[in-house]
């Protein structure tokens, strides 16, 4: 697989930061990516999220609706044990791509035309 600059691995949190957050979880934790592996039109994020007051780790598989789109769409959440190692994440991503019939280089979805998105005004407290 030759993707050039369309292949990127980023570790956003190290294991020490994750453990510190797990020991002292913030009251309102919106979740965040701990590592991200992008390969063309697919991306696998190792995410830290809150579930019943505890911080847990999971994967989110994201796709683009067209190769040049700047936006990502959450497609699935593989239940594999989470690793922040690039090689392990690549293995999970490759299996998920193959099992789902996705492609690293081509969009697997028909583009749907939708109406305009209207942003709700922000509440000021």
């Amino acid at each position: 697989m030759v993707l050039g600059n369309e292949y990127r691995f980023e570790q956003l949190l190290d294991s020490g930061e994750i453990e510190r957050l797990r020991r002292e979880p913030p009251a309102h934790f919106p979740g965040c990516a701990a590592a991200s592996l992008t390969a063309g039109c697919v991306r696998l994020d190792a995410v830290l999220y809150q579930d019943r007051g505890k911080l847990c780790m999971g994967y989110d598989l994201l796709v683009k609706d067209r190769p040049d789109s700047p936006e990502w769409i959450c497609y699935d959440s593989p239940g594999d044990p989470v690793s922040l190692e690039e090689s392990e994440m690549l293995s999970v991503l490759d299996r998920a791509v193959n099992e789902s019939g996705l492609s690293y280089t081509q969009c697997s979805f028909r583009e749907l035309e939708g109406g305009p998105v209207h942003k709700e005004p922000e509440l000021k407290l």
Side-chain angles (χ1 to χ4, degrees):
M1 169 174 53
V2 179
L3 293 169
N5 64 355
E6 302 226 2
Y7 179 92
R8 183 176 60 251
F9 174 75
E10 298 175 274
Q11 186 162 347
L12 306 164
L13 297 176
D14 64 32
S15 57
E17 292 169 310
I18 292 169
E19 287 308 312
R20 182 186 56 77
L21 286 167
R22 282 184 163 170
R23 278 193 312 272
E24 302 166 18
H28 300 287
F29 187 75
C32 68
S36 184
L37 177 64
T38 304
C41 295
V42 293
R43 184 175 96 198
L44 185 69
D45 286 351
V47 294
L48 187 60
Y49 63 95
Q50 193 166 30
D51 184 29
R52 295 179 216 141
K54 291 184 175 183
L55 294 187
C56 304
M57 293 286 298
Y59 282 128
D60 283 340
L61 176 63
L62 299 109
V63 297
K64 290 187 174 189
D65 61 354
R66 58 180 207 274
D68 62 343
S69 175
E71 297 181 23
W72 292 93
I73 302 162
C74 190
Y75 178 79
D76 195 9
S77 296
D80 301 74
V82 177
S83 171
L84 301 180
E85 296 295 322
E86 181 178 1
S87 61
E88 294 293 322
M89 289 183 68
L90 181 56
S91 178
V92 171
L93 179 62
D94 196 46
R95 183 190 51 74
V97 164
N98 289 323
E99 287 178 359
S100 301
L102 298 172
S103 170
Y104 291 104
T105 58
Q106 296 177 356
C107 173
S108 300
F109 309 99
R110 180 174 52 91
E111 188 173 344
L112 300 175
E113 293 298 322
V117 176
H118 299 286
K119 187 175 181 181
E120 294 290 325
E122 292 184 26
L123 294 175
K124 295 185 181 185
L125 301 174

